[in-house]
Amino acid sequence: MAGVSSESLTKALTELEAKLPFASLQLAKELFGILGAIDSSAGLRRALTDPSRSGDEKSALIRKLFGGKVSAEAADIAAGLASSRWASARDIGDALETLAATVVIAVAENKSAVSASGITGLEELENDLFSFNQAVASNHEVQRALSEPQASAAAKIALAARLVPGASEEAKVLTGQAVSQPRGLKPTKLVGRFAELAAKRQQRWIATVSVTRPVTETQASRLQAGLNSLYGRELKINTTVDPTLIGGIRVQVGDEVLDASVITRLLELRRQLAG
């Protein structure tokens, strides 16, 4: 996904973020249900991505089709996607799939907030998804069963659940979605995508701190307290010594970088002089 579709997905993910602390698996299931309806109708996909229709018209279409059938929150999320611009008819489905999976992953993340490390729930989810893919890869009969077009979605979901006994409810939702609605992919490929989303989400709990010399215990405690306060959660801090920084500190949490190193300030000054 690139260009205008990528921008629309980024906007949707940003808007979704505020809902994630209170997210539920039911919301994710409703979003996956809307995705199934959109995928089953080429006409609906074209209508939702028709550049000649206004965003309000497309949003109203979603509300007309799904209002009263899903929660107001699910309808709002889908309507928001419909009001955005998409480069191709498939892109809106890919975006909705990403949002639904992100909700599932956030539920796992919210469970992990009570643990000392802050990442237990996400690690459990990643491990379950990895175990599923291993179980499928090691059994040709299972691969055939999951690709059998005559097998019902319910049968495939039941088989997926048996492959990883004791899997979390979040993992069951994602593997069940992958085997029942792979959307042209192998189920393991889609599960791999979900695992990548979970891994990226997990990085939000890890701060990689680069300094020019080892920090003392007192400095480490102050750094921990300061970053926890800044990000509003208990972070796991990995500290590395990087003499090339010359001085200062560089912090990366997920995709966000806080850079107060001397080398960065010098490079910025050089760019300003060149300009």
Side-chain angles (χ1 to χ4, degrees), residues 26-35 37 62-79:
Q26 180 58 33
L27 173 60
K29 291 175 182 178
E30 289 176 346
L31 294 176
F32 279 134
I34 295 173
L35 171 62
I62 285 289
R63 296 187 186 282
K64 178 180 179 181
L65 291 174
F66 299 103
K69 299 177 182 177
V70 299
S71 66
E73 190 172 25
D76 286 345
I77 292 171

Side-chain angles (χ1 to χ4, degrees), residues 148-218:
E148 173 54 55
Q150 300 303 318
S152 68
K156 292 179 179 179
I157 292 172
L159 174 58
R162 292 198 298 271
L163 293 176
V164 188
S168 66
E169 290 303 310
E170 295 80 27
K172 289 178 182 177
V173 170
L174 292 180
T175 56
Q177 175 68 18
V179 299
S180 64
Q181 198 175 339
R183 308 184 67 242
L185 300 176
K186 289 184 177 180
T188 51
K189 179 69 173 178
L190 186 50
V191 167
R193 286 188 181 180
F194 293 153
E196 289 173 2
L197 288 174
K200 184 176 181 180
R201 190 82 186 172
Q202 184 175 331
Q203 292 303 310
R204 297 173 69 253
W205 294 89
I206 301 173
T208 300
V209 179
S210 300
V211 292
T212 54
R213 60 175 67 98
V215 297
T216 66
E217 290 186 11
T218 300

Side-chain angles (χ1 to χ4, degrees), residues 52-64:
S52 67
R53 287 174 173 251
S54 71
D56 288 343
E57 287 178 309
K58 292 183 284 188
S59 178
L61 176 59
I62 285 289
R63 296 187 186 282
K64 178 180 179 181

Side-chain angles (χ1 to χ4, degrees), residues 49-272:
T49 55
D50 184 350
S52 67
R53 287 174 173 251
S54 71
D56 288 343
E57 287 178 309
K58 292 183 284 188
S59 178
L61 176 59
I62 285 289
R63 296 187 186 282
K64 178 180 179 181
L65 291 174
F66 299 103
K69 299 177 182 177
V70 299
S71 66
E73 190 172 25
D76 286 345
I77 292 171
L81 281 181
S83 68
S84 297
R85 297 172 57 210
W86 303 96
S88 72
R90 181 181 172 90
D91 284 353
I92 189 172
D94 289 346
L96 185 54
E97 181 180 71
T98 297
L99 294 186
T102 299
V103 170
V104 177
I105 292 164
V107 172
E109 179 183 34
N110 294 341
K111 286 168 54 178
S112 63
V114 299
S115 70
S117 65
I119 59 175
T120 301
L122 288 172
E123 286 182 330
E124 179 186 18
L125 175 58
E126 289 181 77
N127 290 340
D128 287 342
L129 296 179
F130 179 71
S131 295
F132 171 84
N133 274 359
Q134 278 193 314
V136 174
S138 63
N139 192 315
H140 293 297
E141 290 186 6
V142 168
Q143 294 171 29
R144 285 194 294 271
L146 292 178
S147 61
E148 173 54 55
Q150 300 303 318
S152 68
K156 292 179 179 179
I157 292 172
L159 174 58
R162 292 198 298 271
L163 293 176
V164 188
S168 66
E169 290 303 310
E170 295 80 27
K172 289 178 182 177
V173 170
L174 292 180
T175 56
Q177 175 68 18
V179 299
S180 64
Q181 198 175 339
R183 308 184 67 242
L185 300 176
K186 289 184 177 180
T188 51
K189 179 69 173 178
L190 186 50
V191 167
R193 286 188 181 180
F194 293 153
E196 289 173 2
L197 288 174
K200 184 176 181 180
R201 190 82 186 172
Q202 184 175 331
Q203 292 303 310
R204 297 173 69 253
W205 294 89
I206 301 173
T208 300
V209 179
S210 300
V211 292
T212 54
R213 60 175 67 98
V215 297
T216 66
E217 290 186 11
T218 300
Q219 289 172 326
S221 296
R222 290 175 180 170
L223 180 63
Q224 180 80 63
L227 289 175
N228 288 350
S229 176
L230 179 62
Y231 286 93
R233 52 184 179 270
E234 185 76 18
L235 295 173
K236 177 182 179 182
I237 296 182
N238 295 330
T239 304
T240 62
V241 176
D242 183 1
T244 65
L245 293 178
I246 302 177
I249 185 173
R250 183 180 187 274
V251 178
Q252 180 166 356
V253 180
D255 294 331
E256 184 175 355
V257 176
L258 305 176
D259 199 326
S261 66
V262 171
I263 188 65
T264 296
R265 292 198 293 270
L266 288 174
L267 290 173
E268 179 60 29
L269 178 58
R270 180 182 298 174
R271 282 195 292 269
Q272 292 176 2

